[in-house]
Amino acid sequence: MSGFREDYIERTIRQLVEALAAIVKAGKAQKTDEALELIQQTSLSLFGMEYRMLITIDAGSVAGLLGHPEKIKALAKLVSAEAELLQQRGDSEGAEHRLGHALALLQEARRMRSTPDPETEELVRGLQDRL
């Protein structure tokens, strides 16, 4: 069972990396709507849930739904990517809100771990610097 779970997490991470690359590429090409749509699709693909639902409920509840720190961290990365796109559009307030949600998600992921995860810690510091 643990091998299956590790394979699932590795596959999820690969999908996330590919999706984030496509999102960043679309954003750099000023295709913000396309990038935002990719975020929606990635949420459904990775989590089986609508993105809007995952960003409108509190981070603790989302963490309970997702159930694994790596999935929570993946969502935090998507939310952070959306913040970049919102900032690019000039929506500073929306971007700040998303950054705060991403930070709260990472703090939930941190709480679920028995040992610190260096990537999570780096992401937390980066978000704190941006807020």
Side-chain angles (χ1 to χ4, degrees):
M1 179 78 155
S2 110
F4 174 76
R5 186 172 184 90
E6 288 174 17
D7 288 345
Y8 171 77
I9 296 298
E10 287 177 19
R11 189 171 57 250
T12 299
I13 291 169
R14 275 194 309 274
Q15 288 176 318
L16 176 66
V17 168
E18 291 170 6
L20 287 172
I23 292 163
V24 168
K25 182 178 178 183
K28 285 183 178 180
Q30 301 297 315
K31 297 179 181 178
T32 308
D33 290 336
E34 180 181 320
L36 292 169
E37 179 59 32
L38 284 169
I39 290 172
Q40 302 288 330
Q41 293 170 4
T42 302
S43 177
L44 281 172
S45 171
L46 293 181
F47 313 119
M49 293 181 228
E50 291 285 334
Y51 180 73
R52 290 287 160 224
M53 183 192 78
L54 294 171
I55 60 169
T56 55
I57 59 177
D58 68 280
S61 297
V62 172
L65 285 170
L66 297 180
H68 191 280
E70 287 300 319
K71 290 174 88 173
I72 299 163
K73 183 169 62 173
L75 177 60
K77 288 179 179 182
L78 280 179
V79 174
S80 183
E82 183 189 20
E84 290 290 328
L85 295 168
L86 293 174
Q87 188 67 49
Q88 183 177 319
R89 275 189 167 172
D91 183 359
S92 297
E93 186 177 322
E96 186 174 330
H97 183 267
R98 291 296 186 269
L99 291 172
H101 192 61
L103 179 59
L105 288 166
L106 290 170
Q107 290 168 336
E108 290 296 327
R110 181 194 270 169
R111 280 192 257 292
M112 293 178 87
R113 293 185 181 282
S114 56
T115 59
D117 172 50
E119 183 183 19
T120 300
E121 297 307 314
E122 183 179 328
L123 290 168
V124 165
R125 283 190 299 276
L127 288 173
Q128 287 172 332
D129 289 346
R130 291 171 62 191
L131 284 170

